[in-house]
Amino acid sequence: MKILLFGGSGQLGFDIKKRARDLDFEVVSPVTAEVDITEREAVKRFVATLKPAVVINSAAYTAVDKAEHEADTAMLVNRDAAGFVAEACAAAKARLIHISTDYVFDGSLGRPLKETDPTNPLSVYGRSKLEGEQRVLEALGDRALVLRTQALYGQRGVNFVQSMLKLFPERPELRIVDDQWVSPTWAGWLAEAILDFVRMPVGGIVHASCHGTVSWFDFASEIQELSGRSFGDKPLARLERTTAKELNRPAKRPTYSAFDTTLISSLLGRAPLPWQEGLKRHLAEIGVITD
Ligand SMILES: NC(=O)c1ccc[n+]([C@@H]2O[C@H](COP(=O)([O-])OP(=O)(O)OC[C@H]3O[C@@H](n4cnc5c(N)ncnc54)[C@H](OP(=O)(O)O)[C@@H]3O)[C@@H](O)[C@H]2O)c1
């Protein structure tokens, strides 16, 4: 089966390509210099010529804080270009799997979020992704699957796990937010789930994260606990709790955006990996711990 992947050079795209190689998929993944998804006609031409069965759009403007000052660019890539990809899929009769985010929510409900819960983005990035979802679903209806994910980490790209592993031996102390809760999601697990959905004609919005809820502080503590031995005798940073208010980042994040994984569990016929297991597999994959 032929898949067209946008965003193949990104963190999630890397894992999708890696895992697709082991399965019976032909993956075509043009880099931005070949197809810039903000160029409507170029996207349409490329999809029409390639005739993929399924397009995966993992391309996005992901600089969450910078987006507060670069709203036009964030909207162009995450909203307009998502729409261009969807239109091109509609014209070529291809299905689309579009990746979105927990930042479409404000996180005020204080419990794991269902697909039907009300959205209310707090940031430019969140708004741009929400409007992108809407463009995709308007253009394709049930031929689009919007997979919302969150707190992603994989082998490539900048992510929380990689930052912690770098900073633990460098800093005497690290202050980590302890009043925001997420479902940390290993890109390796998500890539496998996405490739399962390639073969499954499911549409609509589905929450796709590893299972469970943890604060960023407790997540950092677990990373340190599991990786500690790999640093030998080096002293590691003392972890201190802080608040989102104290950290004062330019973009506001949801307070509690862990996902309810009931729907994805029933669609895949298995529950997502617990976040702790995802973290162990990731650390094993990058050689920090042994299996
Ligand atoms: N990272 C997270 O924690 C997180 C959480 C929730 C949801 N998500 C969503 O998950 C998806 C994947 O995220 P990620 O972490 O893999 O992102 P990433 O590492 O920042 O990768 C983004 C990808 O998008 C491509 N891209 C950007 N602008 C483009 C354009 N105009 N035309 C074509 N390609 C373009 C980039 O290509 P270049 O290399 O050429 O720039 C790169 O391959 C995104 O939809 C993101 O919103 C991520």
Side-chain angles (χ1 to χ4, degrees), residues 4-276:
L4 168 59
L5 169 66
F6 289 121
S9 64
Q11 173 172 238
L12 177 60
F14 175 82
D15 271 288
I16 296 172
K17 284 193 299 191
K18 182 176 163 194
R19 282 160 175 83
R21 254 182 256 132
D22 301 335
L23 302 165
D24 193 20
F25 292 118
E26 179 194 344
V27 181
V28 177
S29 184
V31 295
T32 310
E34 292 169 277
V35 187
D36 183 325
I37 61 166
T38 64
E39 290 172 14
R40 191 177 199 160
E41 286 310 312
V43 174
K44 199 170 173 184
R45 247 191 337 268
F46 197 85
V47 177
T49 309
L50 190 72
K51 297 187 180 57
V54 178
V55 176
I56 301 172
N57 185 19
S58 183
Y61 177 101
T62 56
V64 175
D65 287 319
K66 226 166 121 192
E68 294 298 307
H69 308 288
E70 291 190 352
D72 289 352
T73 313
M75 287 293 175
L76 179 62
V77 179
N78 294 345
R79 177 193 60 195
D80 302 344
F84 301 158
V85 172
E87 278 170 19
C89 289
K93 300 202 179 342
R95 279 180 61 225
L96 172 61
I97 298 178
H98 178 76
I99 311 303
S100 191
T101 172
D102 58 323
Y103 285 13
V104 300
F105 294 109
D106 62 21
S108 61
L109 290 178
R111 56 148 173 83
L113 295 163
K114 297 177 199 300
E115 290 77 0
T116 47
D117 281 326
T119 53
N120 182 29
L122 301 173
S123 61
V124 169
Y125 169 76
R127 216 165 51 241
S128 69
K129 293 293 290 183
L130 178 62
E131 292 181 20
E133 290 183 0
Q134 291 160 350
R135 298 266 169 113
V136 163
L137 292 167
E138 274 162 24
L140 282 163
D142 271 358
R143 289 184 64 77
L145 174 64
V146 172
L147 291 179
R148 289 184 184 142
T149 192
Q150 59 172 284
L152 202 59
Y153 59 90
Q155 277 176 277
R156 286 286 165 92
V158 178
N159 60 61
F160 185 77
V161 178
Q162 183 215 41
S163 301
M164 289 299 108
L165 293 174
K166 179 174 178 295
L167 295 174
F168 286 157
E170 286 179 8
R171 299 275 182 87
E173 178 190 299
L174 284 172
R175 300 176 74 75
I176 314 282
V177 170
D178 196 31
D179 61 354
Q180 285 175 338
W181 290 266
V182 290
S183 306
T185 299
W186 175 42
W189 169 82
L190 180 58
E192 282 169 17
I194 290 170
L195 292 169
D196 284 346
F197 280 119
V198 164
R199 292 206 168 99
M200 221 185 283
V202 175
I205 297 174
V206 175
H207 285 178
S209 69
C210 282
H211 181 73
T213 307
V214 68
S215 74
W216 287 107
F217 177 85
D218 288 339
F219 186 38
S221 304
E222 183 74 7
I223 299 167
Q224 195 170 73
E225 173 76 28
L226 290 173
S227 66
R229 282 170 58 182
S230 69
F231 295 101
D233 293 336
K234 278 188 198 156
L236 299 185
R238 192 175 58 257
L239 303 183
E240 297 287 344
R241 296 169 203 271
T242 187
T243 61
K245 194 169 173 197
E246 254 181 79
L247 202 63
N248 196 23
R249 286 193 284 189
K252 266 193 164 178
R253 271 83 169 160
T255 300
Y256 189 112
S257 60
F259 284 157
D260 182 312
T261 53
T262 308
L263 179 58
I264 193 167
S265 301
S266 74
L267 291 169
L268 293 178
R270 61 180 191 276
L273 278 186
W275 68 263
Q276 298 91 331

